[in-house]
Amino acid sequence: MKAFDIAVVGAGLAGNLAALALSDSGRNVALVAPAARPHDGRTTALMAHSIEFVRELGLWDEIENVAAPLETMRILDGTSRLFRAPPVSFRCSEVGLPAFGYNIPNAPFLENLERRIAKRETITRFATTLERLGFAGNAVELHLADGSAVVANLVVGADGRQSEVRRQSGISARTWTYPQTALVLNFTHELPHANISTEFHTESGPFTQVPLPGRRSSLVWVLSPAEAEAKRALPLDQMSRAVEERMQSILGAVSVEAPPQTFPLSGMQADRFGKGQVVLLGEAAHAFPPIGAQGLNLSLRDVMALRELLNDPGQPLTTIGEAFDRHRRADIQSRTASVDLLNRSLLSGFLPIQILRTAGLHMLSAIGPLRSVVMREGVEPGGSLKAFRDSLRERVTRKQA
């Protein structure tokens, strides 16, 4: 039985990034996940704080050429309701950033990660699935589906919503569903996007266009399941016209590149994010609709927090799960609740909720300082407080000079 410092189960974006980050200090890492996976046509918007983490891992130079900067994030009310919200634009220049983040296609990102992992001597890949966890003293045994077994001092569950690590660790989860399906596709367009991401709020959910390099964009269109299925079945020319019409032709003529993918929307949150020598991150710990570019950014904060705990000599491994749970609970719960609330507010026909949503967006449009706080918190939790401290420190320095 081979021994490792850490075993990471799951090799999606979160699992691969965790394996690389946790092996950086020389720890031996076992990465347990099947090699084959279907093509992923989705994209991921990483905010500036996450991009810095990707840079730190030495990955940015290889993926920068397929990424597009997000300089403006615009919200438009696409409903036909009585109370409609004004347009709101969040510009990175307002908070002193060159870009809020970058939109990256998942497929080349994953390919780059897998190449880097294959070259990393401190990572051993097991192209199989986890069958059983065994807890023996201060170590965890992982019995794999191919008949092999490994032992590790720490197990990281990054194996998705149906996490086997979570189930076998005795951690339950709360799940919920939405009457929505996300239609995901990429398209070319006649007019330049100017690095602007536009999110139309509609009665069925958000319709979100996100820039890609050149005159290309990705799209997440949230619809009822019946509408999503009907749209998915359209020929590409009709699908292209439907996208252009929904976008009110703000990017001119549209051409959808390939048949869209569909994903039913649901949410999940584990009751705890760690236990003993087991830690859950990414969609093994939390999952919610693709709104506000929060999903993978939240997962990368999981990875950063775990790395910080592992680098603390005063933190025993036997209780790292409990420490991780305490460290991540507020961020995960607040992000999950805010995304859930925004999504449900779009679906609600209850007039007072519509009025509150409209009033909130009106305040963001009219009040610059409030907009700045929201922008900084969207990029990095605590970002507004950090900016205030930096500004205060700069003023004190000027006075002393």
Side-chain angles (χ1 to χ4, degrees), residues 4 6 8 12 20 53 91 95-96 117 155 172 179 196-197 249 258 266 281 301 363 366 373 383:
F4 294 88
I6 301 168
V8 177
L20 277 174
F53 179 63
R91 297 177 177 84
V95 289
I117 284 169
V155 174
S172 56
I196 298 172
S197 173
S249 297
S266 62
L281 56 81
R301 293 200 294 276
M363 290 173 65
V373 168

Side-chain angles (χ1 to χ4, degrees), residues 175-198:
T175 62
W176 59 96
T177 60
Y178 299 95
Q180 298 164 295
T181 294
L183 193 77
V184 178
L185 56 87
N186 296 330
F187 64 96
T188 59
H189 38 82
E190 180 183 17
L191 302 176
H193 50 55
N195 298 329
I196 298 172
S197 173
T198 302

Side-chain angles (χ1 to χ4, degrees), residues 9-29:
V9 181
L13 287 172
N16 282 336
L17 285 162
L20 277 174
L22 300 179
S23 70
D24 256 358
S25 59
R27 299 182 183 94
N28 289 313
V29 174

